[in-house]
Amino acid sequence: MTKITAIIPTLNEEIHIEEAIKSVSFADEIIVIDSFSTDDTVTLAEKYNVKIIKRKFDDFSSQKNFAIDQAKHPWIYILDADERVTLEVRGEVFEAIKNPNGNVGFYIRRTFYFCKKRVDYSGFQRDKVIRLFLKEHCRYSGLVHEKIITKGKLGFFKNKIDHFSYRNYDHYISKMNHYAAIRAIELHKRGDKVNIYHVLIKPPARFFIHYIIRLGFLDGFTGFLVAKTQAYGVLTRYIKLWMLNKGIKEN
């Protein structure tokens, strides 16, 4: 019960994939599940002792659950390509699988970086994700910002992993557009409609939450950019939902 499969979902992650693979080199098996990248992600991954699975992307949960089903080992460590496991966290991983104390999974906090600059506030000070878990007790659910549904108790790691989420502002915007599109499809399928509240109240409220309530102003101009882009993501979500409801195609 002490062997680990590390899973790295990818789509055009050539700038991250090699460091991501090295970051989980402690695992007994590494799976890269790729959504048909058009850059050199797969070519670079093939340089290492990893199993590469190509699968058309439908949503984040389905992609990860599919990879989990292919894993040989009971413990799973999920790593986004832009994350890095620190030496301290690696030590906690080994300790956790050796003596889980009844836990079926573990939350790990992340240190967030934007354009290589550490962001200490803006809501990221509360950022935590389940990264290590027993596959028989845990499953992903949700299309965007997917969550793990667990059958059992969860523990917490003391140390943090590094999260280099957005390499520049254009990358940040592209991710917000991607998330907004997936979320809009989910809301459309649910039959949700767009009203004034969604476009005039929710985006400014999101800015206020990140910049004021979550202390984004303490991060300086970076905190302003984070709050502004989060608000943009909310507005974009409802614009895309409105277009779906009207049958308007983007392309």
Side-chain angles (χ1 to χ4, degrees):
M1 292 293 288
T2 58
K3 289 196 171 184
I4 311 171
T5 293
I7 296 172
I8 309 173
T10 57
L11 173 62
N12 296 335
E13 295 286 359
E14 64 181 9
I15 70 167
H16 286 303
I17 187 59
E18 291 190 85
E19 291 303 315
I21 290 171
K22 293 173 186 176
S23 182
V24 289
S25 59
F26 60 84
D28 302 281
E29 176 189 40
I30 300 175
I31 294 175
V32 173
I33 180 161
D34 185 75
S35 305
F36 292 96
S37 292
T38 55
D39 64 2
D40 288 332
T41 298
V42 173
T43 301
L44 293 170
E46 288 173 339
K47 293 163 55 178
Y48 300 86
N49 182 27
V50 302
K51 178 180 180 180
I52 297 173
I53 300 172
K54 294 183 180 181
R55 180 179 185 270
K56 183 180 178 181
F57 182 87
D58 43 12
D59 61 73
F60 292 105
S61 291
S62 298
Q63 197 78 344
K64 291 180 179 179
N65 287 334
F66 182 86
I68 290 168
D69 288 338
Q70 317 308 311
K72 293 180 182 177
H73 305 305
W75 283 100
I76 303 294
Y77 189 97
I78 289 275
L79 182 83
D80 286 349
D82 55 14
E83 294 174 348
R84 305 290 179 264
V85 179
T86 61
L87 289 175
E88 293 80 6
V89 168
R90 182 182 296 202
E92 287 196 77
V93 168
F94 288 134
E95 183 60 34
I97 64 173
K98 184 170 68 175
N99 185 21
N101 290 319
N103 294 305
V104 300
F106 293 87
Y107 278 105
I108 303 175
R109 294 178 177 86
R110 298 186 289 188
T111 301
F112 182 83
Y113 292 86
F114 175 67
C115 297
K116 298 182 180 180
K117 176 180 171 57
R118 178 170 168 161
V119 181
D120 293 314
Y121 301 99
S122 302
F124 297 111
Q125 66 269 39
R126 304 165 54 186
D127 185 35
K128 66 182 188 299
V129 285
I130 300 170
R131 283 291 178 256
L132 178 70
F133 55 88
L134 282 166
K135 67 179 182 181
E136 63 178 306
H137 295 289
C138 301
R139 207 75 179 162
Y140 279 96
S141 178
L143 300 183
V144 185
H145 303 306
E146 65 284 4
K147 295 181 180 179
I148 288 184
I149 307 301
T150 62
K151 298 176 183 177
K153 189 175 66 167
L154 296 171
F156 278 86
F157 279 12
K158 294 178 182 178
N159 295 290
K160 295 182 178 183
I161 59 175
D162 291 327
H163 188 202
F164 301 95
S165 188
Y166 308 115
R167 52 185 175 265
N168 54 47
Y169 188 64
D170 286 343
H171 185 223
Y172 197 176
I173 289 292
S174 70
K175 276 200 171 184
M176 288 296 103
N177 282 327
H178 183 54
Y179 297 151
I182 296 173
R183 182 67 175 136
I185 291 170
E186 185 180 28
L187 295 174
H188 176 67
K189 289 179 179 177
R190 204 169 69 185
D192 284 19
K193 306 297 182 184
V194 180
N195 56 44
I196 295 298
Y197 168 74
H198 294 132
V199 295
L200 292 185
I201 305 299
K202 288 197 76 171
R206 178 63 62 88
F207 179 91
F208 183 81
I209 289 169
H210 281 274
Y211 195 64
I212 303 299
I213 296 177
R214 296 181 180 172
L215 307 178
F217 62 90
L218 294 177
D219 287 316
F221 186 63
T222 300
F224 173 80
L225 284 180
V226 168
K228 175 183 176 295
T229 309
Q230 290 292 329
Y232 164 83
V234 173
L235 177 61
T236 303
R237 175 199 312 164
Y238 289 104
I239 290 173
K240 290 180 181 293
L241 174 60
W242 178 82
M243 292 175 69
L244 286 171
N245 289 344
K246 295 290 185 180
I248 301 172
K249 294 183 179 180
E250 292 192 55
N251 296 319

